[in-house]
Amino acid sequence: MLRVESVEDTISIIIDNFSDYTIASELIELNHSSGRVVTSDIYSNYNIPDFDRSTVDGYSIVASDSFGTSDSIPAEFKVVGSVAMGDISHCVVESGKAVYTPTGASIPDGADGVVMIEYADELSNNVILVNKSISPGENIIKTGSDIKKGSLVVKQGTVLKSIHLGLLASIGVSRVEVRKKIKAGIIITGDEIISPECELKKGQIRNSNGYFLYGALIEMGVEPVNYGIIEDNYDSILTLVQAALENCDMVILTGGSSVGLQDHTSKVIDALGTPGVLVHGISVKPGKPTIIGKSKGKPVIGLPGHPAAVVTITNYFVRKIIDVMQSNTTIPQSIHACMGINYGSNNGRAEFLPVQLQVIDNQTIAYPITGRSFQLFNLAQSDGFIVIPSDCEGLAQGAEVTVYAI
Amino acid sequence: MLRVESVEDTISIIIDNFSDYTIASELIELNHSSGRVVTSDIYSNYNIPDFDRSTVDGYSIVASDSFGTSDSIPAEFKVVGSVAMGDISHCVVESGKAVYTPTGASIPDGADGVVMIEYADELSNNVILVNKSISPGENIIKTGSDIKKGSLVVKQGTVLKSIHLGLLASIGVSRVEVRKKIKAGIIITGDEIISPECELKKGQIRNSNGYFLYGALIEMGVEPVNYGIIEDNYDSILTLVQAALENCDMVILTGGSSVGLQDHTSKVIDALGTPGVLVHGISVKPGKPTIIGKSKGKPVIGLPGHPAAVVTITNYFVRKIIDVMQSNTTIPQSIHACMGINYGSNNGRAEFLPVQLQVIDNQTIAYPITGRSFQLFNLAQSDGFIVIPSDCEGLAQGAEVTVYAI
């Protein structure tokens, strides 16, 4: 029989065992760093902006010169120069003088405000009439108002998104130190499993798990390595897992994870070296006969053969293992919703239930996909799944739930 | 002055102009199809499963033979064979006979139920005692119960996820016809813009927009092509945009999108060929001086230089253009939340407001990032942005909002 762990205990075992896994880092081009995990805190060596900038097309002046002006009582300024984009003005602005300053250009010395071009009429060559009062600092972005020199810009463990790429470029970072991608070996066991391109004989099924896992691992920022389909034979599986474990940071097997005569995975994992099997059985539906093992400090995971269990266990537990290994500090985005109907659940086991989401009156409503819900086709129609705790007999219509992406 | 369009009118103009854009298709390996858009409906040529399968380890029997059995009144069965995984049994199950059938194996002819091994005691060689009654069909997944032969499995326009990869493999598809990736040229204009690795002189700023756009386009499934940074010169920009438009499906420029002397983008887009500029100015903050143009049937987009405007306009309007060009039918996942505080907005212009999300009592609460909110650093701390309509003076605490990802 399986020694079944609860969902919570399984998460604790994952954290206890894989938090200290070491992944080497590499320096990569910023443009290719989206989705990668930053290895250390990144501070800014610069103020951003690192000069006072104009937010409008206009004239830099001494703001107090404009006080009290209006259409009927404009003030006269002598235009003594202009600032080119990307350059500085060599003029100093004194009382009664103005320097043309386009949006984004540097504010010349002496000026403390910019009057918009709309409020400055050209009287004659190099003389303007300003008809609006501006306050000191108006239309200026001050040095360091976006990012102060020395401040923390991106935290260790952040999964970089495009917005971080822009942010890092703005502080002069064009290459970034990230964790190498975790390599995960995929091994599909089962005498009945064939490749999708092969002719199907009765009793055989196609390898959907290998394709799902390949795609899911890429989506999680992991590099998948296919080790193919292997027969239900202890020695063959052991040899292949040993080779995969040598080359990869983790190994995922599907099939043979239960306790029957043809279920070799747990014995193989124990044979790889200590501590071997950590969890054999999780109190969850679907996916109960899941194995989490450890050898050479690396996770070796035995998933059930049932495709729906592979999908949910991968998205919930394998994702957790990967996040823990990478010290990923980015909180995964889940969606909060309300149950659209009453749903009764089996007491005693947590349940992963696929749902479709609908937005009604600005509320996100989750409708369970009922019937024979845990098949690939239904899962592919779902927007994600909810977890019903083991001590819960069901959820009432309107109950708040968290929806995890598939 | 800009001829400003509303958010809604801009979306209509996008749909009217780019829905009929033709993107060639290509046949690619299923393993590499995650994130790609399917060009046509995919139907199943098979029933899944395509044979009756056992859901348990047990014995296939005639179910009626077990009726009325119990621990005290077991029924005796002769075991006449077993089914190997991936194969069929050559035995026919008749009354009083049983065939060993592991989980996932094919149900032999004649049997209409599977009794779990836990309820079958081995009496002697090839004789078992069954002590539990099963109903017809029990512990059997019927042929076609997941997917019926001829049924629609994946719709045209679906963006493939890992779950679809598994699903397609299960129906024997190992390569899939998808749209080629849209190629988008990126051109950064501005005399003040330098590469992040260059030494910064006063008045210059680093090219954050190019890095953000490169990452964002990859995240949207588009292939970015960098055309570098170019000075504010009409002829130079025109020549470069022409070259980019020749090679790409769309071109995105940043900077020079307003109507000042140094703003060449709209004139360049009009010079490329009809119809030229479609939208010059969107009633939205930030991002008002945005240009959407069309030449040779392709979008040419002029974004403002302000990094925050580039981020929001890209995530809202450029994403829409890409979805329309790809006939993407997948609804983008947005999050529904409630405002955590009262927020007053400028009447007359739609506002893109960055928010941080917190889950409190199972409700997702959006807190605006206020102050000088539209700077890259603040955007990078946000979980997304909400859109406050132009005719809305603000949002009260508790108001329902849709949060778009950044």
Side-chain angles (χ1 to χ4, degrees):
Chain A
M1 293 297 285
L2 302 177
R3 306 184 305 271
V4 174
E5 304 281 352
S6 70
V7 169
E8 297 72 25
D9 287 348
T10 305
I11 296 287
S12 297
I13 291 168
I14 288 170
I15 293 170
D16 289 347
N17 276 277
F18 302 114
S19 295
D20 58 355
Y21 188 79
T22 308
I23 309 167
S25 65
E26 58 183 337
L27 196 63
I28 64 171
E29 292 297 321
L30 185 59
N31 262 342
H32 299 108
S33 68
S34 184
R36 304 295 292 274
V37 180
V38 174
T39 52
S40 54
D41 291 340
I42 302 176
Y43 294 85
S44 178
N45 291 326
Y46 300 89
N47 285 307
I48 304 298
D50 82 333
F51 55 92
D52 291 356
R53 300 180 71 193
S54 174
T55 64
V56 294
D57 284 332
Y59 292 93
S60 295
I61 59 170
V62 177
S64 57
D65 284 355
S66 71
F67 291 176
T69 60
S70 67
D71 274 341
S72 47
I73 320 169
E76 196 176 305
F77 289 83
K78 183 168 185 211
V79 180
V80 295
S82 66
V83 195
M85 294 302 293
D87 206 349
I88 55 167
S89 168
H90 298 285
C91 310
V92 175
V93 175
E94 296 162 347
S95 185
K97 293 187 179 168
V99 166
Y100 177 71
T101 316
T103 308
S106 159
I107 305 294
D109 289 344
D112 66 350
V114 182
V115 62
M116 284 175 79
I117 204 162
E118 287 87 338
Y119 302 112
D121 296 321
E122 201 164 331
L123 182 64
S124 67
N125 227 356
N126 294 333
V127 178
I128 54 169
L129 288 179
V130 168
N131 56 33
K132 187 165 184 271
S133 172
I134 59 165
S135 21
E138 192 160 329
N139 298 325
I140 294 176
I141 296 177
K142 297 293 284 184
T143 302
S145 61
D146 189 357
I147 301 169
K148 291 238 176 322
K149 185 174 173 174
S151 64
L152 177 61
V153 173
V154 174
K155 266 187 246 170
Q156 176 182 356
T158 300
V159 179
L160 294 175
K161 294 193 299 181
S162 49
I163 183 74
H164 298 110
L165 273 50
L167 185 63
L168 290 171
S170 79
I171 61 164
V173 172
S174 60
R175 294 195 296 169
V176 62
E177 187 102 13
V178 295
R179 286 192 215 292
K180 284 194 171 178
K181 282 194 180 193
I182 288 178
K183 278 169 79 172
I186 302 173
I187 297 174
I188 308 299
T189 76
D191 294 338
E192 78 279 24
I193 313 292
I194 61 161
S195 275
E197 63 273 18
C198 296
E199 182 96 26
L200 199 64
K201 287 188 291 186
K202 195 173 166 190
Q204 297 183 325
I205 61 164
R206 296 190 188 84
N207 174 24
S208 63
N209 288 334
Y211 285 84
F212 164 74
L213 278 171
Y214 198 95
L217 289 167
I218 290 176
E219 286 167 7
M220 295 180 199
V222 168
E223 183 185 335
V225 184
N226 261 336
Y227 285 90
I229 302 167
I230 189 156
E231 59 185 339
D232 285 321
N233 174 290
Y234 173 84
D235 292 325
S236 313
I237 298 172
L238 179 60
T239 307
L240 191 59
V241 176
Q242 281 170 329
L245 196 61
E246 202 63 49
N247 182 40
C248 299
D249 298 292
M250 65 192 296
V251 180
I252 304 173
L253 296 94
T254 70
S257 68
S258 195
V259 290
L261 278 181
Q262 293 301 309
D263 292 314
H264 304 298
T265 305
S266 71
K267 282 164 274 172
V268 163
I269 293 177
D270 274 334
L272 292 170
T274 51
V277 172
L278 303 168
V279 173
H280 194 182
I282 305 176
S283 177
V284 70
K285 168 193 162 188
K288 183 180 167 192
T290 292
I291 305 170
I292 298 173
K294 183 180 184 181
S295 175
K296 301 182 199 299
K298 303 172 181 180
V300 185
I301 302 157
L303 300 176
H306 186 358
V310 171
V311 172
T312 50
I313 297 293
T314 299
N315 276 297
Y316 200 83
F317 293 106
V318 176
R319 185 185 292 270
K320 182 72 189 176
I321 291 172
I322 291 164
D323 285 349
V324 164
M325 289 170 80
Q326 291 185 325
S327 314
N328 172 355
T329 60
T330 305
I331 298 154
Q333 202 67 75
S334 51
I335 295 168
H336 288 261
C338 292
M339 288 295 282
I341 58 167
N342 293 321
Y343 184 83
S345 181
N346 290 340
N347 212 340
R349 263 212 277 182
E351 181 175 353
F352 290 158
L353 178 69
V355 294
Q356 282 182 328
L357 299 177
Q358 282 186 35
V359 177
I360 299 172
D361 290 340
N362 261 322
Q363 262 210 314
T364 307
I365 312 290
Y367 291 96
I369 300 185
T370 49
R372 301 194 66 83
S373 63
F374 258 111
Q375 293 168 329
L376 278 184
F377 183 65
N378 282 337
L379 273 174
Q381 315 304 312
S382 76
D383 295 306
F385 62 89
I386 62 174
V387 183
I388 304 177
S390 57
D391 57 359
C392 173
E393 288 181 29
L395 293 168
Q397 186 175 354
E400 303 271 355
V401 290
T402 301
V403 183
Y404 298 89
I406 287 179
Chain B
M1 293 296 284
L2 303 178
R3 307 184 303 274
V4 174
E5 304 281 352
S6 70
V7 170
E8 297 74 23
D9 288 348
T10 304
I11 297 287
S12 298
I13 292 168
I14 288 169
I15 293 169
D16 290 348
N17 277 278
F18 303 114
S19 294
D20 58 354
Y21 188 79
T22 310
I23 309 168
S25 65
E26 58 183 334
L27 195 65
I28 63 170
E29 293 296 324
L30 186 59
N31 261 342
H32 298 109
S33 68
S34 183
R36 303 297 290 273
V37 180
V38 174
T39 52
S40 53
D41 291 341
I42 302 176
Y43 294 85
S44 178
N45 290 325
Y46 301 89
N47 286 306
I48 305 296
D50 81 333
F51 55 93
D52 292 356
R53 301 180 70 191
S54 174
T55 63
V56 295
D57 284 332
Y59 291 93
S60 295
I61 59 170
V62 177
S64 58
D65 284 357
S66 70
F67 291 176
T69 59
S70 67
D71 273 342
S72 46
I73 321 168
E76 197 176 304
F77 289 84
K78 183 169 183 212
V79 179
V80 294
S82 66
V83 195
M85 293 303 291
D87 206 347
I88 55 169
S89 168
H90 299 286
C91 310
V92 174
V93 175
E94 296 161 346
S95 185
K97 294 186 175 167
V99 167
Y100 176 71
T101 316
T103 307
S106 161
I107 305 293
D109 289 343
D112 66 350
V114 183
V115 62
M116 285 176 77
I117 203 161
E118 287 85 340
Y119 302 112
D121 297 321
E122 199 163 335
L123 182 64
S124 66
N125 228 358
N126 295 335
V127 178
I128 55 170
L129 288 178
V130 168
N131 54 34
K132 184 160 184 278
S133 172
I134 60 165
S135 21
E138 193 162 328
N139 298 327
I140 294 177
I141 297 177
K142 297 293 282 181
T143 302
S145 61
D146 189 357
I147 300 170
K148 292 238 177 320
K149 186 174 173 176
S151 63
L152 178 61
V153 173
V154 175
K155 266 187 246 167
Q156 176 183 355
T158 300
V159 179
L160 294 175
K161 295 192 299 181
S162 50
I163 183 74
H164 299 109
L165 273 51
L167 185 63
L168 290 171
S170 78
I171 60 164
V173 172
S174 60
R175 294 196 297 169
V176 64
E177 186 100 14
V178 294
R179 286 192 214 293
K180 285 195 171 174
K181 282 195 179 188
I182 288 177
K183 277 170 79 171
I186 302 173
I187 297 175
I188 308 299
T189 76
D191 295 338
E192 77 279 23
I193 313 293
I194 60 160
S195 275
E197 63 274 20
C198 296
E199 181 95 27
L200 199 64
K201 286 188 295 186
K202 194 173 167 192
Q204 296 182 323
I205 61 164
R206 297 190 187 84
N207 174 24
S208 62
N209 288 333
Y211 285 84
F212 164 75
L213 278 170
Y214 197 94
L217 289 167
I218 290 175
E219 286 166 8
M220 294 179 198
V222 168
E223 183 187 333
V225 185
N226 260 335
Y227 285 90
I229 302 167
I230 188 156
E231 57 184 341
D232 284 322
N233 175 289
Y234 174 85
D235 293 324
S236 314
I237 298 173
L238 180 60
T239 307
L240 192 60
V241 176
Q242 281 171 330
L245 196 61
E246 204 63 49
N247 183 40
C248 299
D249 298 292
M250 66 191 296
V251 179
I252 304 173
L253 296 94
T254 70
S257 69
S258 194
V259 290
L261 277 182
Q262 293 301 307
D263 291 318
H264 304 297
T265 306
S266 70
K267 281 163 274 172
V268 163
I269 293 177
D270 273 333
L272 292 170
T274 53
V277 171
L278 303 168
V279 173
H280 193 180
I282 305 176
S283 177
V284 70
K285 167 191 161 188
K288 183 178 167 195
T290 292
I291 305 169
I292 299 173
K294 182 182 185 181
S295 176
K296 303 180 198 298
K298 302 171 180 179
V300 185
I301 301 156
L303 299 177
H306 187 359
V310 171
V311 171
T312 50
I313 298 293
T314 299
N315 276 297
Y316 199 81
F317 293 105
V318 176
R319 184 185 293 270
K320 182 72 190 175
I321 292 171
I322 291 163
D323 284 350
V324 165
M325 291 171 79
Q326 291 185 322
S327 313
N328 171 357
T329 61
T330 304
I331 297 155
Q333 203 67 74
S334 50
I335 295 167
H336 287 261
C338 293
M339 288 294 284
I341 58 165
N342 293 321
Y343 183 82
S345 180
N346 290 340
N347 211 341
R349 264 211 278 181
E351 181 174 354
F352 291 160
L353 178 69
V355 294
Q356 282 184 329
L357 299 176
Q358 282 186 36
V359 177
I360 299 169
D361 289 341
N362 260 322
Q363 264 212 313
T364 308
I365 312 289
Y367 290 96
I369 300 186
T370 50
R372 302 195 65 84
S373 60
F374 259 111
Q375 292 170 328
L376 280 183
F377 184 65
N378 281 337
L379 273 173
Q381 315 305 312
S382 77
D383 295 305
F385 62 89
I386 63 174
V387 182
I388 305 177
S390 56
D391 58 358
C392 173
E393 288 181 30
L395 293 168
Q397 186 176 357
E400 302 271 356
V401 290
T402 301
V403 183
Y404 299 88
I406 288 181

